């Protein structure tokens, strides 16, 4: 099993920044696990934000490129999402995920609200 706990969400004005963190634990987690972030806005489907491989390779959705940065600290089993130049349309619940030994795990989500 893998447990994922997100933190760092909150209310911010448009143009501001937030950094989300997600700490992984459990016997099923490996530093070789791929990790990433999804988000789900009210009334919309969950969508990919960014992914990072065990080796640090990254993948972003086009609308987030240049504004969001994903990183990880394998020694701390933690993945981060630095979000800059936030827009009201970035308002959503942000979910951390980890893919470990063929199984996907999800965190409980953290709310990000961007006011105009």
């Amino acid at each position: 099993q893998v447990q994922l706990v997100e933190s760092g969400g909150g209310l911010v004005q448009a143009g501001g920044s937030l950094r989300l963190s997600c700490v992984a634990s459990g016997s099923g987690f490996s530093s070789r696990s791929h990790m990433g972030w999804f988000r789900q806005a009210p009334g919309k489907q969950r969508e990919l934000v960014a992914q990072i491989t065990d080796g640090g390779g990254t993948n972003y959705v086009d609308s987030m490129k240049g504004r969001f940065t994903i990183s990880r600290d394998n020694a701390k089993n933690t993945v981060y999402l630095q979000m800059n130049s936030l827009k009201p349309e970035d308002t959503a619940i942000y979910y951390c995920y980890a893919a470990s030994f063929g199984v996907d795990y999800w965190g409980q989500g953290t709310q990000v609200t961007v006011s105009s």
Side-chain angles (χ1 to χ4, degrees):
Q1 287 294 322
V2 174
Q3 293 78 45
L4 301 171
V5 179
E6 303 105 330
S7 62
L11 173 64
V12 64
Q13 290 187 332
S17 299
L18 285 174
R19 188 175 85 150
L20 306 183
S21 301
C22 173
V23 181
S25 62
S27 59
F29 183 78
S30 163
S31 61
R32 300 184 66 182
S33 301
H34 290 202
M35 301 186 75
W37 294 90
F38 278 69
R39 70 184 186 185
Q40 188 166 18
K44 296 188 177 181
Q45 290 187 333
R46 191 173 296 190
E47 64 173 350
L48 174 67
V49 174
Q51 298 170 302
I52 186 165
T53 68
D54 58 331
T58 58
N59 179 46
Y60 297 90
V61 172
D62 285 345
S63 61
M64 285 70 156
K65 287 181 180 178
R67 299 191 300 124
F68 292 6
T69 302
I70 190 171
S71 61
R72 66 190 290 168
D73 183 336
N74 288 335
K76 296 181 179 180
N77 290 347
T78 300
V79 64
Y80 304 97
L81 185 68
Q82 178 67 44
M83 304 186 293
N84 299 326
S85 302
L86 283 162
K87 305 175 182 179
E89 52 263 42
D90 294 318
T91 295
I93 300 174
Y94 284 70
Y95 296 92
C96 171
Y97 87 93
S100 183
F101 301 107
V103 180
D104 290 343
Y105 298 91
W106 296 89
Q108 81 287 353
T110 185
Q111 176 71 47
V112 171
T113 303
V114 184
S115 63
S116 58

